[in-house]
Amino acid sequence: MKLVVTHYLRSLRERDELDAILPDLLAESGFEVLTRPRRGTRQAGVDVAAVGPNPDRNGARSLFLFTIKSGDLTREHWDTGQQAVRPSLNEVLDDYVPNRIPPHLTNLPIVICVCMGGEMREDVRAQWSGFCRANEKANVHFAEWNGDRLADLILSGMLRAELIESEHRGVFQKALAMLDQPDVAYRHFRHLLNAIFAEPKNQTERTRQLRKAYLCLWILFVWARDADNLEAAYRASELVLLRSWPHCDGTRLDKDSTRQERLAHFDQVVKLHIIIAHLLLVEKIGPFADKRYALSMAVNSRNAVDINIALFETLGRLSLHGLWLAALSAGQDETFGQAMNEQADKVLNLAIGIVNANPALILPVRDDFVIELALFMRLADVRGRLQNVADYIRGMSDRLCNGLSLRQHYPTPTTVYRDVLVHPKDRSDSYFEEHTRAGILYTFVLAWLAMMGDQERAERLRSALLEHAPQMTHQIWVPDDRTDDVFWDGDRDHGFSVLGLPLNESLEAVFDLLNRVMKEHPLHERVSAVRTNLTPILLTACRHYRMPVPVHVWQGQDRSTPDSTASETASLGAVDPVAASSNPSS
């Protein structure tokens, strides 16, 4: 286990990685963390400040000032470059120690620590020793915290108890070993989280569980990044985020100190998820988004069903990433908010580029891909870009009508891969009725056609449904009072379906019922994440656990629509994306 942790620490970068976990390591080991790393502020050489026992001086209570460096500390990193160690140590001695230590801590011994994920190389150790001898005083001491020491700190602190037991340690190691098989790695990591999130004795133990899960995700991510396969890390990051949320939700915590601590922790979890999503979706997939058929070919399958499934999965992930960026822009300073908005528009352009460049996305093979479509349309709506994607829904409506009349290329409600692979198996009445017995996708398309003002197409789709699939049960899903308690752990036995939408009466009757459902069951009263303006948490749960997106989100009834800040926008092609240009810019 120590080899696993040491490899992880050595691979960490300084900014947003090693400095992100060090405060949690210190807090778990009995330190009081005073300051954490911040962007845009002058830190006088100190990345993290903490008060705690000094193991090198019989546990004497001391003030620790950490200067953090990534990887190994070499001669090149000692005295040259923007992030050189020696200038940082001089700043600590010249500025932080005389000017920035709080008055109530001035009498404590000071320990200036160089913290690194790797080790201090021999070619720099002489300079380090000479610097320490020249600057050490009665109350100022120096220390070296390398990857080996941090690994011991992790194993003795955050990962003690159940994770050190052979059974759970083996599960974690299996997850790391099977990163090239993402489904298997994810399954082992899920078992690990189930072990970590056992019923705690108190809130302190729950905080320790959250930190363990976060650290294990970091280790999995670093190994996955080194293996150049981020699929398992992405899925695991969604799972950690969802499992952590109910324990970090400020509306459920009574003690202010615990609430602030948990919210700060959840902020770190979200940041890690955003980092992983950006690497996978923007940096790895993004360059091929608008290249004709590039992502379709990358699926490496001759079967159109495999391509359809993989592309809709990617479209949903990209859309969700854009929604997270848009949500993070709210309530932030202007510069950061603008940067997040620009990134959200960039992600939307990538999603539109994928649809334009890959005709397989014109129609989903499964009805539950309405989840991905809802995320995509939600992102376009949030960014004020519905006019750029309207033709996509119009084209999908036309193909749904054709599929119903020909009994070919219509979505199936089953999610069993073998059944989806051969769909439609035949055109018999029994098979057709079985695979059009229920659906949400048609209601979703009808709703968006109406919201875009295309009444003619909406009536055409309604007529096709009544003529060719009168037996279909049209429905929507709405969270109930139990949803907020059980959804985040993956329980699907909650919420309720509104069945039998009155399509045979009129579209107005259908929409009147939808509006009444939204009015009688407000989403913010059912889900605390929506109440605290973190709707992407609910959307992440819907996508991860394959539950329908509530109709409230279709119509944006949980937020106001911000203006788009993009200088370059993208538009979907006309009804047939095949004919669209591969350049997404409009």
Side-chain angles (χ1 to χ4, degrees):
M1 191 65 187
K2 186 171 181 178
L3 289 174
V4 170
V5 176
T6 303
H7 173 81
Y8 153 71
L9 291 168
R10 187 181 296 271
S11 301
L12 287 178
R13 300 159 184 163
E14 176 191 352
R15 179 58 61 185
D16 292 331
E17 296 196 7
L18 182 56
D19 58 6
I21 68 158
L22 182 61
D24 282 341
L25 289 177
L26 295 171
E28 189 62 29
S29 300
F31 285 73
E32 177 190 354
V33 178
L34 304 177
T35 62
R36 293 173 177 262
R38 295 182 181 274
R39 287 185 182 271
T41 59
R42 191 167 179 274
Q43 297 178 291
V46 176
D47 294 304
V48 176
V51 174
N54 185 354
D56 299 330
R57 296 186 179 272
N58 299 320
R61 189 168 182 263
S62 304
L63 172 62
F64 287 79
L65 306 177
F66 291 92
T67 291
I68 301 174
K69 300 300 169 188
S70 60
D72 293 340
L73 179 57
T74 65
R75 188 182 184 88
E76 290 76 19
H77 299 145
W78 173 250
D79 212 9
T80 57
Q82 187 177 359
Q83 297 297 321
V85 173
R86 184 171 181 170
S88 296
L89 295 176
N90 285 329
E91 276 195 271
V92 177
L93 293 170
D94 298 340
D95 185 354
Y96 198 98
V97 171
N99 303 320
R100 303 193 180 211
I101 295 177
H104 66 284
L105 300 176
T106 53
N107 293 327
L108 290 179
I110 298 170
V111 183
I112 301 174
C113 293
V114 175
C115 180
M116 68 210 79
E119 61 183 18
M120 185 178 293
R121 297 282 183 85
E122 288 303 318
D123 59 357
V124 77
R125 188 165 293 282
Q127 287 92 328
W128 163 250
S129 300
F131 184 89
C132 294
R133 285 195 300 270
N135 293 281
E136 191 157 314
K137 302 175 183 177
N139 68 325
V140 177
H141 310 285
F142 293 86
E144 168 195 346
W145 284 33
N146 56 25
D148 192 64
R149 183 163 188 167
L150 290 176
D152 288 334
L153 190 66
I154 291 173
L155 293 172
S156 63
M158 295 182 68
L159 296 184
R160 64 171 173 256
E162 63 266 25
L163 279 184
I164 288 303
E165 294 176 4
S166 58
E167 179 184 356
H168 302 140
R169 184 169 64 243
V171 168
F172 189 29
Q173 291 168 337
K174 288 176 184 177
L176 298 176
M178 299 302 293
L179 285 171
D180 59 336
Q181 299 290 329
D183 289 340
V184 179
Y186 171 80
R187 185 167 66 248
H188 287 305
F189 193 81
R190 188 179 66 235
H191 293 331
L192 176 68
L193 289 187
N194 290 337
I196 291 176
F197 284 110
E199 189 64 31
K201 298 176 182 177
N202 49 50
Q203 289 298 329
T204 300
E205 185 175 345
R206 178 64 80 189
T207 301
R208 180 177 294 117
Q209 292 174 348
L210 291 166
R211 289 172 176 158
K212 287 177 181 178
Y214 173 62
L215 180 63
C216 288
L217 176 60
W218 260 113
I219 296 175
L220 185 80
F221 163 53
V222 169
W223 278 61
R225 183 176 62 189
D226 290 348
D228 196 28
N229 191 336
L230 292 168
E231 173 67 20
Y234 177 86
R235 294 172 62 183
S237 71
E238 283 191 337
L239 188 60
V240 171
L241 187 149
L242 294 173
R243 294 294 300 268
S244 299
W245 167 245
H247 311 302
C248 300
D249 180 4
T251 63
R252 305 169 192 247
L253 300 170
D254 298 327
K255 195 175 178 181
D256 286 341
S257 59
T258 302
R259 184 185 301 113
Q260 293 303 318
E261 182 181 39
R262 297 282 181 84
L263 288 175
H265 171 81
F266 190 72
D267 182 59
Q268 295 299 318
V269 174
V270 171
K271 285 180 180 178
L272 179 53
H273 174 65
I274 295 298
I275 289 171
I276 297 172
H278 178 81
L279 288 177
L280 175 62
L281 302 172
V282 179
E283 293 194 7
K284 192 167 188 178
I285 296 177
F288 307 98
D290 62 348
K291 303 295 188 294
R292 178 70 69 178
Y293 303 114
L295 294 182
S296 297
M297 294 294 292
V299 177
N300 197 26
S301 173
R302 296 182 180 181
N303 193 289
V305 171
D306 291 333
I307 296 172
N308 190 275
I309 292 173
L311 290 179
F312 269 100
E313 176 81 12
T314 301
L315 181 66
R317 290 178 176 184
L318 258 177
S319 302
L320 187 57
H321 182 51
L323 290 169
W324 268 112
L325 294 173
L328 292 176
S329 69
Q332 303 289 342
D333 64 82
E334 184 177 351
T335 303
F336 181 82
Q338 183 177 354
M340 290 296 99
N341 282 326
E342 290 174 354
Q343 285 294 315
D345 277 301
K346 178 182 177 180
V347 169
L348 178 56
N349 282 346
L350 293 177
I352 291 174
I354 288 177
V355 175
N356 279 336
N358 297 275
L361 282 169
I362 190 57
L363 191 67
V365 70
R366 288 182 358 208
D367 184 80
D368 73 320
F369 284 144
V370 68
I371 299 170
E372 281 66 29
L373 289 170
L375 297 177
F376 178 57
M377 295 302 292
R378 163 77 177 204
L379 178 59
D381 189 15
V382 165
R383 303 311 309 147
R385 305 261 300 278
L386 283 179
Q387 75 279 3
N388 301 138
V389 300
D391 284 338
Y392 181 42
I393 296 298
R394 295 188 181 109
M396 186 173 295
S397 173
D398 292 343
R399 279 158 177 76
L400 287 173
C401 292
N402 292 337
L404 290 171
S405 62
L406 298 174
R407 295 189 176 183
Q408 280 189 320
H409 307 300
Y410 59 92
T412 174
T414 185
T415 59
V416 179
Y417 176 72
R418 291 182 180 274
D419 294 339
V420 177
L421 201 61
V422 297
H423 174 76
K425 188 164 58 177
D426 57 54
R427 301 188 189 184
S428 65
D429 291 342
S430 60
Y431 182 90
F432 182 74
E433 290 177 4
E434 171 66 19
H435 287 265
T436 55
R437 63 186 184 278
I440 300 178
L441 176 63
Y442 297 96
T443 306
F444 172 83
V445 174
L446 283 170
W448 271 106
L449 288 173
M451 286 189 283
M452 293 185 302
D454 198 337
Q455 296 297 330
E456 181 182 349
R457 269 195 175 84
E459 280 293 345
R460 191 187 311 156
L461 178 56
R462 171 178 171 268
S463 299
L465 287 166
L466 292 176
E467 178 182 355
H468 301 293
Q471 79 287 347
M472 183 182 294
T473 300
H474 301 278
Q475 54 189 299
I476 58 172
W477 178 79
V478 180
D480 62 9
D481 293 334
R482 191 167 178 268
T483 298
D484 212 23
D485 295 326
V486 301
F487 195 11
W488 320 112
D489 291 340
D491 193 331
R492 294 170 55 88
D493 186 18
H494 59 90
F496 60 91
S497 295
V498 180
L499 304 173
L501 299 181
L503 201 65
N504 58 333
E505 295 181 21
S506 66
L507 289 176
E508 289 73 16
V510 173
F511 301 142
D512 285 345
L513 178 57
L514 296 182
N515 289 326
R516 183 157 60 89
V517 169
M518 288 187 287
K519 183 178 180 180
E520 293 178 0
H521 304 279
L523 196 58
H524 68 274
E525 292 184 3
R526 299 289 185 268
V527 183
S528 61
V530 176
R531 194 160 54 248
T532 53
N533 297 317
L534 288 173
T535 303
I537 298 175
L538 172 64
L539 301 181
T540 301
C542 289
R543 204 201 69 80
H544 192 88
Y545 296 129
R546 309 309 299 167
M547 293 291 285
V549 174
V551 66
H552 313 67
V553 178
W554 301 359
Q555 298 195 351
Q557 293 214 355
D558 59 299
R559 54 101 186 100
S560 59
T561 304
D563 293 331
S564 173
T565 60
S567 58
E568 295 184 2
T569 60
S571 288
L572 287 173
V575 173
D576 191 352
V578 178
S581 167
S582 61
N583 185 353
S585 297
S586 63

